[in-house]
Amino acid sequence: MATNMKKCINSTTDDRDIENGDEKKNEETGVGYFELFRFATWKDKVMMVLGSLCALLHGAAAPLMLLVYGMVTNTFVAYELEVQELKDPNKTCINNTIYWKNGSIYETAENNTVYCGVDIERQMTTFAYYYVGIGFGVLIVSYFQIVFWVTAAARQIHQIRKTYFRKIMRMEIGWFDCNSVGELNTRISDDINKINNAIADQMSIFIERFSTFVFGYIVGFISGWKLTLVDIAASPLIGVAAGLMAMALARLTGRELKAYAKAGAVADEVLSSIRTVAAFGGQEKEAERYDGNLEEAQVWGVKKGTIIGVFHGFQWCSIFLCTALAFWYGSELVIKTKELSPGDVIQVFFGVFMGALKLGQASTCLEAFASGRAAAKNIFSTIDREPEIDCLSGEGHKLDTVKGDIEFHNVTFFYPSRPDVTVLNDLSMQINAGETTAFVGPSGSGKSTTIQLIQRFYDPKEGMVTLDGHDIRTLNIQWLRSLIGIVEQEPVLFSTTIAENIRFGRPGVTMEDIIQATKEANAYNFIMDLPQKFDTLVGEGGGQMSGGQKQRIAIARALIRNPRILLLDMATSALDNESEAVVQEALDKVRMGRTTISIAHRLSTFRNADVIIGFEHGQAVEKGTHSELIERQGVYFTLVTLQNQDTSSTPNDMIREALKDFDLKVRRFSNGSCRSSKSGSIRLQSQSKLSMDLSSYGLKITSDNKCKDEPDEYVETAPVARILKYSQPEWPYMLIGSLGAAVNGSFQPIYAVLFSQFLGTFSIPDSNEQREQINGICVQFCIVAVASFFTYFLQGFAFAKSGELLTRRLRKLGFQAMLSQEVGWFDDPRNSPGALTTRLATDASMVQGATGSQIGMIVNSLTNIGACLIIAFYFTWKLALVVLCFLQLIMLSGVFQAKMLTGFENENKKAMEEAGQVSSEALANIRTIAGLANENSFVESYEEKLKPPYKSAKKRANVYGLCFGFAQCVIFMSNAASFRYGGYLVSAEGLHYMMVFRVISAVVVSGAALGRASSFTPDYAKAKSAAAHFFKLLDRVPKINMSHTEGEKWENFRGEIKFVDCKFTYPTRPDVQVLNNLVVSVKPGQTLAFVGSSGCGKSTSVQLLERFYDPDEGQVLIDGRPSLRVNVPFLRSQIGIVSQEPVLFGCSIAENIQYGDNTRSVSMEEIVEAAKKAYLHDFVMSLPNKYETQVGVHGSQLSRGQKQRVAHGSQLSRGQKQRVAIARAIVRNPKILLLDEATSALDTESEKIVQCALNEAMKGRTCIVIAHRLSTIQKADIIAVMSNGAVIEQGTHDKLMAEKGAYYKLVTTGAPIS
């Protein structure tokens, strides 16, 4: 797969270069930071400027507070010195100066007088007012800082989402061949969220912290420049380390994102093909494949966490060493040179310390910026890429009149994803207006490719395609596609009503037009038979409709366009006789007067064409009418001859007689078929076709198709204990990390003690004792510094390791839980592959938000708070209680914030999932949408779905701003109250001022820790909400138990099958009875063939046998045992399935064949043996890479064996895919073989080979065959004719023909069975 992807990427010159070596550097570093704001309007810019001003002012508040703090310190020191002097009874205070009692002035040893008369309480009251004033200012500016930035970011992200999706919808189809849908969905959800994190509150917090850094240094230089210069000696070190960390993080984040995108693509591929995975028991293998990609992401994540840990350790180590140096040198300037007062030392030290600390904290924002820039690289390069064919362009001519002459002039073409394979080789041909031209030829000869060139999905590499003589590249593309109606073999219907599906053909049409179109398409009668008529929901991908019904709705959709050109691409090949007759009649009616191009393999389809063109090796090798080409004996002659050998062995006269007998009756038959069922869903790929509300077209979806058993109830948030339980295997890492975090948490309380000790020394009269004490304090700071480096590294590494392991385990568990659900669960539109992939991507990483590095932060904060409180209460409990009152306020604001944000998070998540469903549906079916030129309606629908999350983001900004502002302001208020009360205690109770500083420092430090802890409440809220969704998925008990241990197993499995009175309705449409008392049995080794019109329950019976569903009433007996009691993996291991549209996975041919048996390792010899039996070996050996050839990536395109463009395995033609699927079934060595329309979609040549392979595979096995071609079923032991969910007659071919009943009618006329 990797080599093909490389080709794909190298062959284009846009953002797909992201995997090229040349671009690697760009991709990992991302776009420039200011480029992230390229979608800002003037209003956003004004908001960001105002927000930045507010953040700037908020940042300046703390240094401003230091000026007050310095004055407070000087006042306390002066008061303490006064108190110590006045202890001498011979001294007294007169006129603010100390005198001896005898009236002479008291002088110190240095001949200085001593100041006295400090009114400590009055002074402290004044300082308290200053604090309150600053606090109110902070409340206001911090509120606006958050509101402006978060709102501006929400507006820009809304615009980026809209622009990105609109640009994707404008891309040419070739671009989608090289970009997997899963990866694009991941980018729309994850990457854009990362950009949001980089430009929202993180930026305002960054500016605020940087502002504190700048103003802190200004205060330092003003108060004492010498000490400031000594203090900042280590600052450059911190700055350089921060820069290096940012660079490393950006590289690692880019690589991590790429690994997650790959895992997302695997999940999308598997969930889209869930029926195949279930049928072959591949759940464990797929979970391992998914886990392999997660492992790579985990490695990058751990490296990222370790780097952050090392940086934080270095930062704190530097800060503590600087503190030691600053206190030592500052004390020199106070004691020796008397240049500074104690208050000045505090101002300088805290100004620089706070500045450096905030610079360090600002660096944590760099991680969000780096992630945002790396994510924006992919998003913006797509937005900037000019599509080679712009689907929404208004340029180009619109012709006044269109005749419909199409001509190919020397066209050479290869697909962008496979530049080495020439598909059309110098093709020249003319298609005349008003005629029906049929293209015939073997698979891979370029027939479908010509149709895609006419639709301008691709442009020719050489030559040109003209319409009425005009090169179609010069015509307006939307106008051109509006002229074209296309009906494909597997039409894509959208998950809405029949009427809305038809309206997709031409928005704005009236109901009368729709009714007229359905009448022309022979669809009106069956629609009117449905309970809801035109308002019937067609189900995911049209899954509630039978093949014939879907086809006729698609024809009505093509007709409502009133197209000049009609393209019929295998439009009837997948239908049974009855449906084919009805659809063919509709097509014959509508092609009159239109230029019609028909690709078909059945002779009956193209015999009446005006002109037949034979294709071979990408060239038109012959052209003429049926009789002319038969005479020429070329390509066409070969195909016709092969088919004629294959026609029914019914004698001609018998057919003629039957025709006479039934001619009148047949005419009276209504064209309705039995009630619609989910027929054919075994071959559906569960692609994401999701409910939409295309408001501009008035599309409204009711909730009919929600599963009954799962109402869309509100999900309670998950308990933390349960989240932690999933982290159990990482407990050694978490223990080490928590120990590191606890030690780190204790450093700040220790610091509070040492700092107050240092301030206390200034009131010691003896300078020698002062110097000794200060030296001791500085040594202690150095010890703390060294310890902090190691403990921060430990915390960073251990939590990164445990967090990444948990994320990986949760994603894997979530994926396994999805794969273990019964198939019916995936029918619910809420569980579409797009929604599930999004959920896997976001939920697990959010849960990590509560258990990864966050636990470290919380343990750190708790230790910090605990130690601080012990210190505070030990030294003076009264003051501690006062300060504590304010701490509770901080806590309350944190709790309130968490509550509010959890509510918003739930709303937001739900709304984004709905938008994700629209984008998934659009991307999965991009070819159909492009063919209908209907990109705009999906863009509008997506934009409509983005409105609720956008509104909720704006609401959230206000709550977040208020809580943030309040938490910041409380710290200032607590300072005001504590110093005022501290002044009272010093004055009234004789408390030493050192204790006031110790208690206040301790409690304020704990407050900061609490603030840090509460800043994680948004992440924590998201984590709890995501975990709840996650556990809901893990706790859901599948209705069909997939366990390897539950249920019966037995040795000699014979393969005898009995359906006994089976009744069944699909869970999503309980009102439509699909099986109605089905009774049929088949003995070991026999072949049972189901025939009947579309929608009568043939495929459904096969799904009951596979236990994708269980019957509502009655039972399916396997070797005499009820299927409900049989072990599901054991039962499926006995069954091999080959369906009409086999799903192959994006890996090698050998690995796809090995997929047949996932319980063991299949050897190369077995693979070759199975390939030989499937007539595949010779073809494989002719390929350059033989069995290692990649079968293609999801959604890429190839030849018309490969018509079903969205099918997996699309690098092979259909016949080749079919044979790989047969080899896959043979490797399984099943006792029961299910063939669901296994050859209906093939051209004659491929069908011959595949039929031989099937005959080989059927030997000695119980076989159930569903087919519309009678050649396939004539040799069956039992032919069961089904109608309305029951068997109406059964027997061998000869017996049933002799009875001249329903089967005879089918064979001879294709009449409906009533």
Side-chain angles (χ1 to χ4, degrees), residues 443-483:
S443 285
S445 58
K447 304 184 298 294
S448 287
T449 304
T450 56
I451 278 196
Q452 300 197 57
L453 292 184
I454 292 170
Q455 288 179 284
R456 226 186 138 205
F457 283 175
Y458 304 92
D459 281 337
K461 304 301 173 201
E462 291 171 28
M464 64 175 178
V465 182
T466 62
L467 172 66
D468 292 352
H470 298 266
D471 184 339
I472 62 169
R473 284 174 291 201
T474 64
L475 301 175
N476 177 282
I477 188 162
Q478 292 269 310
W479 174 82
L480 171 71
R481 288 179 182 168
S482 72
L483 302 176

Short mmCIF file of all heavy atoms in Angstrom, two decimals, residues 443-483:
data_model
loop_
_atom_site.label_atom_id
_atom_site.label_comp_id
_atom_site.label_asym_id
_atom_site.label_seq_id
_atom_site.Cartn_x
_atom_site.Cartn_y
_atom_site.Cartn_z
N SER A 443 -13.15 -5.94 -19.63
CA SER A 443 -12.86 -5.09 -18.47
C SER A 443 -11.49 -4.44 -18.65
O SER A 443 -10.56 -5.07 -19.12
CB SER A 443 -12.79 -5.93 -17.20
OG SER A 443 -14.06 -6.28 -16.81
N GLY A 444 -11.39 -3.17 -18.25
CA GLY A 444 -10.09 -2.51 -18.28
C GLY A 444 -9.73 -1.93 -19.63
O GLY A 444 -8.62 -1.46 -19.82
N SER A 445 -10.69 -1.91 -20.57
CA SER A 445 -10.33 -1.41 -21.91
C SER A 445 -10.58 0.09 -22.04
O SER A 445 -10.35 0.66 -23.09
CB SER A 445 -11.10 -2.19 -22.99
OG SER A 445 -12.50 -2.06 -22.78
N GLY A 446 -11.10 0.73 -20.97
CA GLY A 446 -11.22 2.19 -21.00
C GLY A 446 -12.62 2.71 -21.25
O GLY A 446 -12.81 3.91 -21.46
N LYS A 447 -13.65 1.84 -21.19
CA LYS A 447 -15.02 2.29 -21.50
C LYS A 447 -15.50 3.30 -20.46
O LYS A 447 -15.97 4.39 -20.80
CB LYS A 447 -15.97 1.07 -21.53
CG LYS A 447 -15.56 -0.02 -22.49
CD LYS A 447 -16.57 -1.15 -22.56
CE LYS A 447 -16.79 -1.87 -21.25
NZ LYS A 447 -15.63 -2.62 -20.77
N SER A 448 -15.38 2.92 -19.17
CA SER A 448 -15.87 3.83 -18.10
C SER A 448 -15.06 5.11 -18.06
O SER A 448 -15.57 6.17 -17.72
CB SER A 448 -15.76 3.16 -16.74
OG SER A 448 -16.74 2.18 -16.66
N THR A 449 -13.78 5.00 -18.38
CA THR A 449 -12.92 6.19 -18.33
C THR A 449 -13.44 7.26 -19.30
O THR A 449 -13.45 8.45 -18.97
CB THR A 449 -11.47 5.79 -18.67
OG1 THR A 449 -11.07 4.77 -17.76
CG2 THR A 449 -10.53 6.97 -18.55
N THR A 450 -13.91 6.84 -20.48
CA THR A 450 -14.42 7.82 -21.45
C THR A 450 -15.60 8.58 -20.86
O THR A 450 -15.73 9.79 -21.02
CB THR A 450 -14.88 7.13 -22.75
OG1 THR A 450 -15.85 6.14 -22.41
CG2 THR A 450 -13.73 6.49 -23.47
N ILE A 451 -16.44 7.85 -20.12
CA ILE A 451 -17.61 8.50 -19.50
C ILE A 451 -17.15 9.55 -18.49
O ILE A 451 -17.72 10.64 -18.39
CB ILE A 451 -18.51 7.42 -18.85
CG1 ILE A 451 -19.38 6.79 -19.93
CG2 ILE A 451 -19.33 7.98 -17.72
CD1 ILE A 451 -20.54 6.02 -19.43
N GLN A 452 -16.09 9.23 -17.75
CA GLN A 452 -15.59 10.19 -16.75
C GLN A 452 -14.97 11.41 -17.43
O GLN A 452 -15.00 12.50 -16.89
CB GLN A 452 -14.57 9.51 -15.85
CG GLN A 452 -15.19 8.33 -15.12
CD GLN A 452 -14.37 7.91 -13.94
OE1 GLN A 452 -14.11 8.71 -13.05
NE2 GLN A 452 -13.96 6.66 -13.91
N LEU A 453 -14.39 11.20 -18.61
CA LEU A 453 -13.82 12.36 -19.33
C LEU A 453 -14.94 13.24 -19.88
O LEU A 453 -14.83 14.47 -19.90
CB LEU A 453 -12.92 11.89 -20.48
CG LEU A 453 -11.62 11.19 -20.07
CD1 LEU A 453 -10.78 10.87 -21.29
CD2 LEU A 453 -10.80 12.02 -19.10
N ILE A 454 -16.05 12.62 -20.31
CA ILE A 454 -17.19 13.42 -20.81
C ILE A 454 -17.76 14.26 -19.66
O ILE A 454 -18.12 15.42 -19.84
CB ILE A 454 -18.29 12.49 -21.42
CG1 ILE A 454 -17.77 11.83 -22.69
CG2 ILE A 454 -19.56 13.29 -21.72
CD1 ILE A 454 -18.66 10.72 -23.23
N GLN A 455 -17.81 13.66 -18.46
CA GLN A 455 -18.31 14.41 -17.29
C GLN A 455 -17.27 15.41 -16.77
O GLN A 455 -17.54 16.14 -15.84
CB GLN A 455 -18.64 13.43 -16.15
CG GLN A 455 -19.88 12.60 -16.39
CD GLN A 455 -20.10 11.67 -15.21
OE1 GLN A 455 -19.42 10.67 -15.06
NE2 GLN A 455 -21.03 12.02 -14.35
N ARG A 456 -16.11 15.37 -17.35
CA ARG A 456 -14.97 16.19 -16.94
C ARG A 456 -14.59 15.96 -15.48
O ARG A 456 -14.29 16.89 -14.73
CB ARG A 456 -15.23 17.67 -17.20
CG ARG A 456 -13.98 18.28 -17.88
CD ARG A 456 -14.01 19.75 -18.09
NE ARG A 456 -12.68 20.26 -17.74
CZ ARG A 456 -12.41 21.48 -17.35
NH1 ARG A 456 -13.37 22.37 -17.29
NH2 ARG A 456 -11.20 21.84 -17.04
N PHE A 457 -14.60 14.67 -15.07
CA PHE A 457 -14.02 14.32 -13.78
C PHE A 457 -12.50 14.45 -13.90
O PHE A 457 -11.80 14.75 -12.95
CB PHE A 457 -14.37 12.89 -13.39
CG PHE A 457 -15.78 12.74 -12.87
CD1 PHE A 457 -16.29 11.49 -12.55
CD2 PHE A 457 -16.59 13.85 -12.68
CE1 PHE A 457 -17.58 11.34 -12.06
CE2 PHE A 457 -17.88 13.72 -12.18
CZ PHE A 457 -18.37 12.47 -11.88
N TYR A 458 -12.00 14.16 -15.10
CA TYR A 458 -10.57 14.28 -15.39
C TYR A 458 -10.43 15.00 -16.73
O TYR A 458 -11.38 15.03 -17.52
CB TYR A 458 -9.91 12.90 -15.53
CG TYR A 458 -10.09 12.00 -14.34
CD1 TYR A 458 -11.16 11.10 -14.25
CD2 TYR A 458 -9.19 12.03 -13.28
CE1 TYR A 458 -11.33 10.28 -13.15
CE2 TYR A 458 -9.34 11.21 -12.18
CZ TYR A 458 -10.41 10.34 -12.11
OH TYR A 458 -10.56 9.53 -11.02
N ASP A 459 -9.24 15.56 -16.98
CA ASP A 459 -8.93 16.11 -18.30
C ASP A 459 -7.96 15.17 -18.98
O ASP A 459 -7.08 14.59 -18.32
CB ASP A 459 -8.29 17.50 -18.17
CG ASP A 459 -9.35 18.57 -17.89
OD1 ASP A 459 -10.53 18.33 -18.23
OD2 ASP A 459 -9.00 19.63 -17.34
N PRO A 460 -8.06 15.04 -20.32
CA PRO A 460 -7.11 14.18 -21.03
C PRO A 460 -5.69 14.72 -20.88
O PRO A 460 -5.50 15.93 -20.77
CB PRO A 460 -7.56 14.25 -22.49
CG PRO A 460 -8.83 15.01 -22.52
CD PRO A 460 -9.01 15.70 -21.22
N LYS A 461 -4.72 13.81 -20.88
CA LYS A 461 -3.32 14.26 -20.82
C LYS A 461 -2.89 14.78 -22.20
O LYS A 461 -2.09 15.69 -22.29
CB LYS A 461 -2.39 13.11 -20.40
CG LYS A 461 -2.79 12.46 -19.08
CD LYS A 461 -2.78 13.45 -17.91
CE LYS A 461 -3.35 12.81 -16.66
NZ LYS A 461 -3.82 13.75 -15.67
N GLU A 462 -3.44 14.17 -23.25
CA GLU A 462 -3.20 14.68 -24.61
C GLU A 462 -4.52 14.59 -25.35
O GLU A 462 -5.38 13.78 -25.02
CB GLU A 462 -2.16 13.81 -25.34
CG GLU A 462 -0.76 13.92 -24.79
CD GLU A 462 0.17 12.88 -25.42
OE1 GLU A 462 -0.08 12.47 -26.57
OE2 GLU A 462 1.13 12.47 -24.74
N GLY A 463 -4.64 15.41 -26.41
CA GLY A 463 -5.87 15.38 -27.21
C GLY A 463 -6.97 16.16 -26.52
O GLY A 463 -6.75 16.83 -25.51
N MET A 464 -8.21 16.06 -27.06
CA MET A 464 -9.31 16.79 -26.41
C MET A 464 -10.64 16.10 -26.67
O MET A 464 -10.79 15.29 -27.60
CB MET A 464 -9.36 18.24 -26.91
CG MET A 464 -9.64 18.41 -28.37
SD MET A 464 -9.80 20.17 -28.73
CE MET A 464 -10.06 20.15 -30.49
N VAL A 465 -11.60 16.42 -25.80
CA VAL A 465 -12.98 15.93 -25.95
C VAL A 465 -13.82 17.15 -26.32
O VAL A 465 -13.72 18.19 -25.66
CB VAL A 465 -13.49 15.32 -24.62
CG1 VAL A 465 -14.89 14.77 -24.80
CG2 VAL A 465 -12.54 14.25 -24.12
N THR A 466 -14.64 17.04 -27.35
CA THR A 466 -15.45 18.20 -27.75
C THR A 466 -16.93 17.89 -27.67
O THR A 466 -17.36 16.75 -27.86
CB THR A 466 -15.12 18.66 -29.19
OG1 THR A 466 -15.45 17.58 -30.09
CG2 THR A 466 -13.66 19.03 -29.34
N LEU A 467 -17.71 18.94 -27.36
CA LEU A 467 -19.17 18.87 -27.40
C LEU A 467 -19.62 19.88 -28.45
O LEU A 467 -19.30 21.08 -28.33
CB LEU A 467 -19.75 19.22 -26.02
CG LEU A 467 -21.27 19.39 -25.96
CD1 LEU A 467 -21.97 18.07 -26.23
CD2 LEU A 467 -21.70 19.92 -24.59
N ASP A 468 -20.31 19.40 -29.47
CA ASP A 468 -20.72 20.28 -30.59
C ASP A 468 -19.53 21.10 -31.11
O ASP A 468 -19.64 22.30 -31.38
CB ASP A 468 -21.84 21.24 -30.15
CG ASP A 468 -23.13 20.48 -29.85
OD1 ASP A 468 -23.17 19.26 -30.15
OD2 ASP A 468 -24.08 21.08 -29.34
N GLY A 469 -18.36 20.46 -31.16
CA GLY A 469 -17.18 21.14 -31.71
C GLY A 469 -16.42 22.02 -30.73
O GLY A 469 -15.36 22.55 -31.05
N HIS A 470 -16.95 22.20 -29.48
CA HIS A 470 -16.25 23.03 -28.49
C HIS A 470 -15.49 22.12 -27.53
O HIS A 470 -16.07 21.17 -26.98
CB HIS A 470 -17.25 23.86 -27.68
CG HIS A 470 -18.03 24.83 -28.52
ND1 HIS A 470 -17.64 26.14 -28.69
CD2 HIS A 470 -19.17 24.67 -29.25
CE1 HIS A 470 -18.51 26.75 -29.48
NE2 HIS A 470 -19.44 25.88 -29.84
N ASP A 471 -14.22 22.43 -27.31
CA ASP A 471 -13.43 21.68 -26.34
C ASP A 471 -14.13 21.83 -24.98
O ASP A 471 -14.38 22.95 -24.53
CB ASP A 471 -12.01 22.27 -26.27
CG ASP A 471 -11.11 21.47 -25.33
OD1 ASP A 471 -11.65 20.75 -24.46
OD2 ASP A 471 -9.88 21.57 -25.46
N ILE A 472 -14.46 20.71 -24.30
CA ILE A 472 -15.26 20.84 -23.06
C ILE A 472 -14.49 21.55 -21.96
O ILE A 472 -15.07 22.03 -21.00
CB ILE A 472 -15.80 19.48 -22.54
CG1 ILE A 472 -14.67 18.52 -22.18
CG2 ILE A 472 -16.74 18.83 -23.53
CD1 ILE A 472 -15.15 17.30 -21.43
N ARG A 473 -13.17 21.69 -22.11
CA ARG A 473 -12.39 22.43 -21.10
C ARG A 473 -12.70 23.92 -21.14
O ARG A 473 -12.43 24.64 -20.19
CB ARG A 473 -10.89 22.19 -21.30
CG ARG A 473 -10.44 20.81 -20.81
CD ARG A 473 -9.01 20.52 -21.13
NE ARG A 473 -8.79 20.33 -22.57
CZ ARG A 473 -7.75 19.68 -23.08
NH1 ARG A 473 -6.85 19.16 -22.29
NH2 ARG A 473 -7.60 19.55 -24.38
N THR A 474 -13.28 24.37 -22.28
CA THR A 474 -13.60 25.81 -22.38
C THR A 474 -15.03 26.10 -21.91
O THR A 474 -15.45 27.24 -21.87
CB THR A 474 -13.46 26.30 -23.83
OG1 THR A 474 -14.44 25.60 -24.63
CG2 THR A 474 -12.07 26.02 -24.38
N LEU A 475 -15.78 25.02 -21.58
CA LEU A 475 -17.19 25.22 -21.20
C LEU A 475 -17.31 25.34 -19.68
O LEU A 475 -16.47 24.83 -18.94
CB LEU A 475 -18.03 24.03 -21.69
CG LEU A 475 -18.01 23.79 -23.21
CD1 LEU A 475 -18.78 22.52 -23.53
CD2 LEU A 475 -18.60 24.97 -23.97
N ASN A 476 -18.38 25.99 -19.23
CA ASN A 476 -18.64 26.11 -17.80
C ASN A 476 -18.95 24.71 -17.25
O ASN A 476 -19.84 24.02 -17.75
CB ASN A 476 -19.83 27.05 -17.57
CG ASN A 476 -20.17 27.14 -16.10
OD1 ASN A 476 -20.81 26.24 -15.55
ND2 ASN A 476 -19.74 28.20 -15.46
N ILE A 477 -18.24 24.34 -16.18
CA ILE A 477 -18.30 22.93 -15.74
C ILE A 477 -19.65 22.56 -15.13
O ILE A 477 -20.20 21.49 -15.39
CB ILE A 477 -17.12 22.60 -14.80
CG1 ILE A 477 -17.06 21.10 -14.51
CG2 ILE A 477 -17.20 23.40 -13.51
CD1 ILE A 477 -15.73 20.66 -13.96
N GLN A 478 -20.23 23.48 -14.31
CA GLN A 478 -21.53 23.19 -13.71
C GLN A 478 -22.59 23.08 -14.81
O GLN A 478 -23.46 22.20 -14.77
CB GLN A 478 -21.91 24.29 -12.72
CG GLN A 478 -21.03 24.32 -11.47
CD GLN A 478 -21.60 23.47 -10.33
OE1 GLN A 478 -22.76 23.58 -9.97
NE2 GLN A 478 -20.79 22.59 -9.78
N TRP A 479 -22.50 23.97 -15.78
CA TRP A 479 -23.46 23.95 -16.88
C TRP A 479 -23.31 22.66 -17.68
O TRP A 479 -24.29 22.01 -18.03
CB TRP A 479 -23.22 25.18 -17.78
CG TRP A 479 -24.05 25.18 -19.02
CD1 TRP A 479 -25.34 25.59 -19.14
CD2 TRP A 479 -23.65 24.74 -20.32
NE1 TRP A 479 -25.77 25.44 -20.44
CE2 TRP A 479 -24.75 24.92 -21.19
CE3 TRP A 479 -22.47 24.23 -20.84
CZ2 TRP A 479 -24.71 24.59 -22.55
CZ3 TRP A 479 -22.41 23.90 -22.18
CH2 TRP A 479 -23.53 24.08 -23.02
N LEU A 480 -22.05 22.26 -17.94
CA LEU A 480 -21.80 21.03 -18.70
C LEU A 480 -22.41 19.83 -17.99
O LEU A 480 -23.12 19.03 -18.59
CB LEU A 480 -20.29 20.83 -18.88
CG LEU A 480 -19.87 19.48 -19.46
CD1 LEU A 480 -20.23 19.40 -20.94
CD2 LEU A 480 -18.36 19.24 -19.31
N ARG A 481 -22.16 19.75 -16.67
CA ARG A 481 -22.67 18.58 -15.94
C ARG A 481 -24.19 18.62 -15.82
O ARG A 481 -24.83 17.58 -15.66
CB ARG A 481 -22.01 18.49 -14.56
CG ARG A 481 -20.54 18.06 -14.65
CD ARG A 481 -19.85 18.00 -13.32
NE ARG A 481 -18.45 17.63 -13.48
CZ ARG A 481 -17.54 17.72 -12.51
NH1 ARG A 481 -17.90 18.17 -11.32
NH2 ARG A 481 -16.29 17.37 -12.72
N SER A 482 -24.75 19.84 -15.91
CA SER A 482 -26.22 19.92 -15.83
C SER A 482 -26.87 19.35 -17.09
O SER A 482 -28.06 19.03 -17.10
CB SER A 482 -26.66 21.37 -15.64
OG SER A 482 -26.47 22.08 -16.84
N LEU A 483 -26.08 19.22 -18.18
CA LEU A 483 -26.64 18.64 -19.42
C LEU A 483 -26.65 17.13 -19.37
O LEU A 483 -27.25 16.48 -20.21
CB LEU A 483 -25.75 19.02 -20.63
CG LEU A 483 -25.52 20.49 -20.93
CD1 LEU A 483 -24.55 20.60 -22.09
CD2 LEU A 483 -26.84 21.15 -21.29
#
